[in-house]
Amino acid sequence: TQLLEQSPQFLSIQEGENLTVYCNSSSVFSSLQWYRQEPGEGPVLLVTVVTGGEVKKLKRLTFQFGDARKDSSLHITAAQPGDTGLYLCAGDPANDYKLSFGAGTTVTVRA
Amino acid sequence: DADVTQTPRNRITKTGKRIMLECSQTKGHDRMYWYRQDPGLGLRLIYYSFDVKDINKGEISDGYSVSRQAQAKFSLSLESAIPNQTALYFCATRAVGPGNEQFFGPGTRLTVL
């Protein structure tokens, strides 16, 4: 059983459509991170959310941290083929510098 | 030059062989990690080290060992490789402080036949 559950596992959409990826847990996190991984590369950090209810925007990407700090979402507006990749959420529930990762959501944006 | 490098990038080996995967970093971070990635399972922690004299097991350490030769170098060994160790392996580093970014290497694709 994963500490962080991501949904959906796969998402395929047309260019210009919107999408949302969810990351849920029964544990409370002091912060959650979102990474994106492209084929042949390691994950790269997109954002860290630290305050319950926080919303952060990165161009067309909007990240939200749940009020209870147990869940997070990633919303992409007007997706582009360059948004294609594996999106991973990660958190450190025990604050001991060990990240737990969700299984990831593979996003494919078709031109 | 990349901040975190891994060698080799690809390796095919046979069951029972000893394999070493190497990781070097120029970030100056004390914290280093080894993960494996399998489809549908995300990244799982194998071993981690918070300084040269500190080695800790992660959630899936059985069948693996590590060596922290210097602050910048952290190696992962498979003493006797088996097919279910076929996976993508990542090294990562992290600075001290809560919520800090982990920097990942490009990964090593290991296939055990």
Side-chain angles (χ1 to χ4, degrees), chain B:
Chain B
D1 288 342
D3 294 321
V4 184
T5 57
Q6 292 183 234
T7 55
R9 292 294 314 276
N10 290 282
R11 182 72 183 268
I12 300 174
T13 191
K14 295 182 178 180
T15 298
K17 294 291 187 182
R18 184 178 188 274
I19 297 297
M20 179 180 285
L21 309 182
E22 299 187 352
C23 176
S24 293
Q25 55 114 344
T26 58
K27 303 289 289 182
H29 294 162
D30 287 324
R31 287 163 164 71
M32 296 188 73
Y33 307 80
W34 274 105
Y35 294 88
R36 66 175 279 174
Q37 186 175 39
D38 300 275
L41 295 178
L43 289 154
R44 292 182 292 165
L45 184 62
I46 306 172
Y47 269 95
Y48 61 102
S49 169
F50 286 172
D51 65 43
V52 175
K53 297 181 180 179
D54 177 75
I55 301 290
N56 304 280
K57 293 182 178 181
E59 59 180 305
I60 54 164
S61 59
D62 287 349
Y64 302 94
S65 63
V66 290
S67 173
R68 185 81 184 266
Q69 300 95 324
Q71 187 206 37
K73 296 185 182 295
F74 193 33
S75 300
L76 175 71
S77 293
L78 288 68
E79 297 301 325
S80 180
I82 56 176
N84 77 0
Q85 291 177 312
T86 292
L88 197 50
Y89 290 85
F90 288 100
C91 173
T93 73
R94 183 177 175 177
V96 175
N100 279 340
E101 177 178 0
Q102 278 195 191
F103 294 87
F104 287 83
T108 294
R109 184 168 296 281
L110 177 66
T111 303
V112 183
L113 301 176

Side-chain angles (χ1 to χ4, degrees), chain A residues 82-96:
Chain A
D83 296 324
T84 292
L86 176 66
Y87 289 82
L88 297 156
C89 66
D92 183 1
N95 293 317
D96 58 358

Side-chain angles (χ1 to χ4, degrees), chain A residues 29-41:
Chain A
F29 292 85
S30 58
S31 66
L32 276 179
Q33 297 180 325
W34 285 92
Y35 289 79
R36 182 168 73 196
Q37 182 181 6
E38 299 187 20
E41 299 180 8

Side-chain angles (χ1 to χ4, degrees), chain A residues 1-2 6 9 13 27 33-34 42 51 53 56 78 83 100 104-105 111:
Chain A
T1 303
Q2 302 259 174
Q6 281 188 242
Q9 186 176 359
I13 60 170
S27 299
Q33 297 180 325
W34 285 92
T51 304
K56 279 191 173 180
D83 296 324
S100 291
T105 296

